[in-house]
Amino acid sequence: MMRLTLPRALLVAAGALLLAYAFAIAPTTSGGPEDRRTEPVANAEPRVVAESAPSPSPVPAVAVFPPDDKAFVGVMTEKGPHDFAALDTFTAAAAHQPQVMLFSSGWATDEFDRTLFDRISSRGMLPMLGWEPWDYRVDQQARKQKTLPARQVDRIRSNQPAYRLSRIANGDFDSYLRSWADGIRSLGYPVAIRFAHEMNGDWYPWCEKANGNRPGDYVKAWRHVHDLFQAAGATNVTWVWSPNARWNKSTGHLADYYPGDDYVDWVGATGYYGTGVFTNYWSFDEIFGPTMTELGRFTSKPMVITETGASDASGRKAEWIRETFRTLPRHRNIIGLIWFEVDKELDWRIASSPAVAAAFAQSVADPRYRFSWSPEMRPRLDVGHP
C-alpha cells in the first residue's frame, strides 16, 4: 500500500480542485450557445432596470361634426363643384364659410368623379351627394314647354319605368352602384349621401305614388343600396334620409318610407317659404313643425334641413331668415341647415338683395355656427352626444 506523503497529498488535492473546476465552473463560462443554460441560478438577485419605459401617450379624441351645441350651415348651388362662382358669391354675402356643400347627380348620365368630391373637401366642406335614380333630362325637356302646368311637368318627369324602385332592389343597377361605392371608399374621408329624397311626394320616379312603384318598394331599394355599399367597404358614408316637409295628409305617413335606424344616420327635410302651399307667410316652425313631430315618433336620429330657402314675393324674406335662425337653437335635434342658393322659378338666393344678405350674415355670425369641418372629423350620430 502506497504511503500518502505530504507531497503526494498536495498533488491529490490539486487534482481534486482541477476536477471540480472542469465539471462545475467551466461549462458556465465557455463553449457555444448550446452549452449556455437558461435555468435560473439559485438565490440570484433580480435584474434591475436602470430606466422605466415611458407611459404611452393618450389617444386624442376624434372630433365630431358638428361639435357639441353647434349646427352647420351648408349650401347648394346650381352648378355645385363644377363651378364655384355661386359659392363664392354666397360666402361673401353671408360672411361665412359653409361647412357642407350639397350637389346632385343623376344615374342616367353621371359616373363617379373623384374630382368633384375633392374640390369640395379642399374648400373645407363636407361633400353631400344628392343621389338621384332617374334621367333628369326628361325633367329639363318638360320644363322647356312653358305652357305646361307644374303638375303636368311632375307627371312627365316621374314616369320613368327604367328607374322603378323594384329594379333597384332587384339588383339591376348593382354594377353601377359598385362603381360608386368603390370610388367613395377610395376617397378616405367622410361623405354624406342623400339618396332619393322627397320620396313621400309624387313628382320623382322613386316616389312610391308614381312610376308604377308599390308600397314598401322604397325601403327595399334603400336597404339594397346601403347594404351594397357596406359590402364594398364604403363605410365612410353618412346616410341622409330626407322626405319633403309635410303640409297635409296626402304626403303620407313618413314611417312607411323609413328604412330603419340601422340604415339611416341623419334624417332630413325639404321645405321652402314662398311656394306652393307655403306662398303665404309661414314661419319655420309652421313649415317644418309637423314633420319634426312625426319624425320624433319613430326615430331620434339627428336632423338636417337638407333644402330650404325663401322668396321675397311678399317682401318678408329677410324677416323669415332672421326668425328661422332665432328658432333653430330651440330644436336641439337639428344639427344643420342647407340653403338653396339658386335662382330657379323663384329667386331663393341670399345674394338677391343687400337687405337679405345682411339678415343672413347677421344670423350666422352667432358663435353657434362658427366652426370648421375637416376630413378627420366623424359625423355626429346622436343628438347631444359625441
Side-chain angles (χ1 to χ4, degrees):
M1 183 174 181
M2 183 176 60
R3 293 178 59 195
L4 187 62
T5 63
L6 180 59
R8 287 187 180 132
L10 292 174
L11 183 61
V12 171
L17 290 172
L18 287 173
L19 286 172
Y21 177 85
F23 285 101
I25 302 175
T28 66
T29 57
S30 63
E34 67 278 4
D35 293 321
R36 296 193 177 102
R37 305 293 185 250
T38 58
E39 290 82 355
V41 179
N43 300 321
E45 292 294 328
R47 181 170 170 266
V48 178
V49 179
E51 296 182 4
S52 59
S55 301
S57 301
V59 178
V62 178
V64 180
F65 178 80
D68 278 330
D69 300 321
K70 299 281 188 179
F72 67 76
V73 177
V75 66
M76 182 179 188
T77 63
E78 185 173 8
K79 296 183 179 180
H82 297 280
D83 185 343
F84 281 143
L87 169 67
D88 293 337
T89 301
F90 172 87
T91 302
H96 177 79
Q97 164 65 45
Q99 298 100 339
V100 175
M101 177 172 239
L102 171 64
F103 71 105
S104 297
S105 178
W107 286 18
T109 59
D110 297 336
E111 302 294 331
F112 175 78
D113 183 355
R114 180 187 180 115
T115 304
L116 301 179
F117 293 88
D118 286 345
R119 293 195 75 201
I120 294 173
S121 65
S122 67
R123 287 278 192 120
M125 297 179 292
L126 170 71
M128 182 182 289
L129 171 66
W131 214 20
E132 303 175 353
W134 71 330
D135 187 344
Y136 64 82
R137 294 170 297 186
V138 175
D139 177 55
Q140 291 176 337
Q141 290 298 322
R143 290 179 183 277
K144 288 180 180 179
Q145 303 180 48
K146 301 294 186 181
T147 58
L148 286 179
R151 291 300 292 161
Q152 180 65 20
V153 172
D154 289 345
R155 284 190 287 272
I156 292 173
R157 71 178 185 172
S158 65
N159 184 30
Q160 299 188 34
Y163 295 95
R164 280 196 180 123
L165 292 169
S166 59
R167 295 198 68 216
I168 299 173
N170 290 338
D172 293 359
F173 294 92
D174 279 7
S175 60
Y176 180 74
L177 297 177
R178 287 193 189 94
S179 69
W180 279 79
D182 292 341
I184 288 176
R185 183 194 66 238
S186 71
L187 293 174
Y189 53 78
V191 170
I193 295 182
R194 183 184 70 155
F195 171 65
H197 63 295
E198 300 173 22
M199 77 301 294
N200 57 323
D202 61 3
W203 45 84
Y204 288 124
W206 55 82
C207 296
E208 284 193 358
K209 298 176 184 177
N211 201 29
N213 296 318
R214 297 179 179 181
D217 282 352
Y218 182 84
V219 168
K220 293 176 183 176
W222 178 287
R223 290 180 177 178
H224 181 80
V225 174
H226 178 280
D227 288 346
L228 188 146
F229 269 66
Q230 290 293 110
T235 56
N236 55 323
V237 175
T238 301
W239 293 93
V240 185
W241 178 79
S242 179
N244 199 75
R246 294 201 61 175
W247 63 90
N248 59 33
K249 294 182 180 179
S250 69
T251 47
H253 298 289
L254 297 181
D256 294 340
Y257 309 108
Y258 189 60
D261 282 354
D262 290 341
Y263 292 86
V264 173
D265 298 307
W266 295 346
V267 297
T270 298
Y272 292 81
Y273 155 57
T275 187
V277 297
F278 305 133
T279 301
N280 296 326
Y281 189 87
W282 285 49
S283 70
F284 176 89
D285 278 345
E286 287 174 317
I287 293 174
F288 291 101
T291 302
M292 290 189 286
T293 298
E294 187 169 358
L295 291 175
R297 296 190 184 116
F298 58 84
T299 184
S300 59
K301 292 287 185 176
M303 184 176 182
V304 176
I305 305 302
T306 48
E307 266 187 65
T308 195
S311 79
D312 214 7
S314 58
R316 302 181 69 179
K317 184 173 181 176
E319 177 186 351
W320 190 87
I321 289 170
R322 286 196 174 92
E323 182 185 36
T324 292
F325 280 96
R326 284 196 300 267
T327 301
L328 284 177
R330 298 203 295 267
H331 300 289
R332 185 175 176 80
N333 62 313
I334 297 179
I335 62 170
L337 174 149
I338 298 175
W339 190 266
F340 190 65
E341 187 70 2
V342 178
D343 185 357
K344 177 184 176 183
E345 299 156 355
L346 295 171
D347 192 349
W348 308 104
R349 299 171 304 155
I350 65 167
S352 61
S353 75
V356 170
F360 197 93
Q362 291 165 6
S363 298
V364 300
D366 190 293
R368 186 169 188 264
Y369 310 106
R370 296 291 177 169
F371 61 95
S372 299
W373 174 83
S374 73
E376 294 76 28
M377 302 176 88
R378 64 179 175 86
R380 177 172 296 283
L381 301 179
D382 296 291
V383 178
H385 300 284

